[in-house]
Amino acid sequence: MNQIVKNFLRVKEQIASATYRCNRTPDSVELVAVTKGVSTADIQTALESGADIIGENRVQEARQKYDKINSSGITQFFEWHLIGHLQRNKVKSALPLFSLIHSVDSLRLLKEISKRSEEIGKCTDILLQVNTTGETSKFGLVPEDTLNFIETSLTYPNVRILGFMTMGKLSDTPDENRPAFELLRNLAERVKTQNYSGVSIKYLSMGMSNDYEVAIEEGANLVRIGRAIFG
């Protein structure tokens, strides 16, 4: 059996185990296969193994892969998500590619997404990236500012907020990131009580190859896995 296939199946098993530990079901968590630097051949192997969401960090790299894979004869349905930082000058190129943008972290970026979406008659689904670790090296909204940010965003009808994304610390101790994930879950619960029109907290995108099981235990329903699948 191909190593990518083995890795993918092992990750799926570990996702299932994590959901059982917190009285959830495996189908409550969606796996985003992170393909930064991964060849189109290896991406196709992952798709054939059952992956149905491809996560890319950079718009230009995604564009090249998107064209190759979509013309390769792959027949099963899958989505492309943008999980990396998005520059405003890349928004126009990004919108036709991605069904969900995980990394909106400023009002200027949100306004640009709304403007470009209006131009093509689209409402773009996004997640707000929140910096829950406090690291200055990470992008993301300050948790305390998030509700005000959402209230301001309501004036832009071509953007639809579907939840939040965060990144834990790069640590060999997964439990070190539990407080960061718990903070995002609590923030999501607080936003739900506000009943903002047009805002649906459907997704919590948190957890990567080093900590996705802890993230699931803290409420993640989108996990972004690259290294554990592709090596």
Side-chain angles (χ1 to χ4, degrees):
M1 184 184 295
N2 179 282
Q3 189 61 49
I4 290 173
V5 177
K6 290 180 182 179
N7 293 346
F8 181 83
L9 295 176
R10 182 172 62 250
V11 168
K12 292 289 286 187
E13 289 174 0
Q14 291 171 339
I15 288 173
S17 295
T19 62
Y20 295 143
R21 289 196 296 273
C22 51
N23 297 314
R24 297 167 64 188
T25 59
D27 62 2
S28 68
V29 177
E30 297 182 65
L31 168 60
V32 180
V34 178
T35 54
K36 177 183 177 181
V38 175
S39 69
T40 55
D42 285 348
I43 294 173
Q44 287 174 299
T45 299
L47 291 170
E48 290 162 0
S49 301
D52 55 13
I53 304 175
I54 299 300
E56 275 288 338
N57 289 68
R58 298 186 177 94
V59 175
Q60 185 173 355
E61 183 177 345
R63 173 81 266 175
Q64 295 166 351
K65 295 173 181 178
Y66 184 96
D67 291 337
K68 288 182 181 179
I69 291 174
N70 283 2
S71 63
S72 68
I74 290 284
T75 57
Q76 72 265 35
F77 173 79
F78 66 97
E79 302 177 25
W80 294 80
H81 289 189
L82 182 65
I83 62 172
H85 181 67
L86 177 59
Q87 296 174 315
R88 286 184 297 126
N89 63 356
K90 301 292 185 184
V91 168
K92 184 176 181 179
S93 300
L95 294 186
L97 303 179
F98 301 105
S99 60
L100 183 63
I101 297 173
H102 289 226
S103 50
V104 176
D105 62 351
S106 73
L107 190 59
R108 293 177 72 197
L109 176 58
L110 185 141
K111 289 168 66 175
E112 183 69 15
I113 292 171
S114 181
K115 172 187 171 183
R116 296 298 184 180
S117 298
E118 184 178 13
E119 290 174 354
I120 60 175
K122 175 181 180 179
C123 185
T124 297
D125 292 335
I126 66 167
L127 306 181
L128 300 182
Q129 182 172 353
V130 182
N131 185 341
T132 58
T133 67
E135 295 171 281
T136 57
S137 60
K138 284 187 168 61
F139 294 104
L141 302 169
V142 176
E144 294 79 10
D145 294 342
T146 304
L147 267 68
N148 287 338
F149 184 95
I150 291 173
E151 290 169 2
T152 303
S153 77
L154 300 178
T155 60
Y156 299 96
N158 289 85
V159 175
R160 181 166 48 219
I161 297 172
L162 294 186
F164 298 113
M165 182 269 265
T166 197
M167 298 177 65
K169 296 179 180 179
L170 290 176
S171 172
D172 294 329
T173 308
D175 264 324
E176 185 178 352
N177 285 324
R178 194 178 294 276
F181 299 148
E182 181 182 14
L183 176 58
L184 195 71
R185 186 189 73 235
N186 290 339
L187 177 62
E189 293 302 322
R190 184 181 174 193
V191 171
K192 287 178 184 177
T193 66
Q194 303 300 309
N195 294 316
Y196 292 118
S197 177
V199 176
S200 171
I201 306 303
K202 179 180 180 181
Y203 293 119
L204 284 183
S205 171
M206 55 189 193
M208 299 168 67
S209 290
N210 61 315
D211 55 17
Y212 64 92
E213 293 185 70
V214 169
I216 290 168
E217 292 169 1
E218 293 300 330
N221 55 13
L222 276 176
V223 292
R224 310 181 304 273
I225 313 297
R227 176 171 44 82
I229 296 173
F230 298 105

